[in-house]
Amino acid sequence: MAGKWEPFDINGSVFRPMAKLLHVEEPEFGCEDVPEDGAVYGSVVLEDKNGQRTVKIEQGQLFASRLNDGMWIGKLARSMVLLGRDKQTVYQPNEAERTWLEDCMG
């Protein structure tokens, strides 16, 4: 497992993995209506050097994001980026993703 967290090259830049998104789950409240407090959350199961954890994500943030199963979170040239499961497609986080990343990755 140590190799999974080693930096690697992407088009001449070094990507430093911080976490991998294992599963992104959209909010589900069945046949019930939206909760009275209006807060609806999905969840993201991610893995980092410390193991797996589940992090809540507000429905609006999730739907405005490009978060997907198999993506990576890491640093590329000192910037936090999302990396596609192909390990080649780099996404600069949009506003919703940036907010969520700040909350869950510190």
Side-chain angles (χ1 to χ4, degrees), residues 51-94:
Q52 288 186 20
R53 61 188 167 119
T54 301
V55 181
K56 290 176 25 174
I57 183 169
E58 193 272 324
Q59 176 183 17
Q61 280 182 312
L62 177 59
F63 292 161
S65 77
R66 297 162 289 182
L67 300 177
N68 208 340
D69 297 357
M71 291 182 98
W72 289 85
I73 299 168
K75 297 238 177 173
L76 187 65
R78 299 184 186 187
S79 296
M80 183 80 74
V81 297
L82 298 168
L83 185 65
R85 67 170 28 143
D86 63 2
K87 290 190 173 182
Q88 295 298 313
T89 307
V90 176
Y91 300 95
Q92 295 298 324
N94 64 28

Side-chain angles (χ1 to χ4, degrees), residues 19-76:
K20 183 171 184 180
L21 305 181
L22 301 177
H23 181 68
V24 178
E25 188 170 303
E26 292 185 5
E28 197 172 308
F29 36 88
C31 59
E32 301 169 11
D33 239 350
V34 175
E36 287 183 28
D37 66 3
V40 177
Y41 293 88
S43 62
V44 177
V45 179
L46 58 88
E47 179 182 17
D48 60 19
K49 290 180 182 180
N50 299 317
Q52 288 186 20
R53 61 188 167 119
T54 301
V55 181
K56 290 176 25 174
I57 183 169
E58 193 272 324
Q59 176 183 17
Q61 280 182 312
L62 177 59
F63 292 161
S65 77
R66 297 162 289 182
L67 300 177
N68 208 340
D69 297 357
M71 291 182 98
W72 289 85
I73 299 168
K75 297 238 177 173
L76 187 65

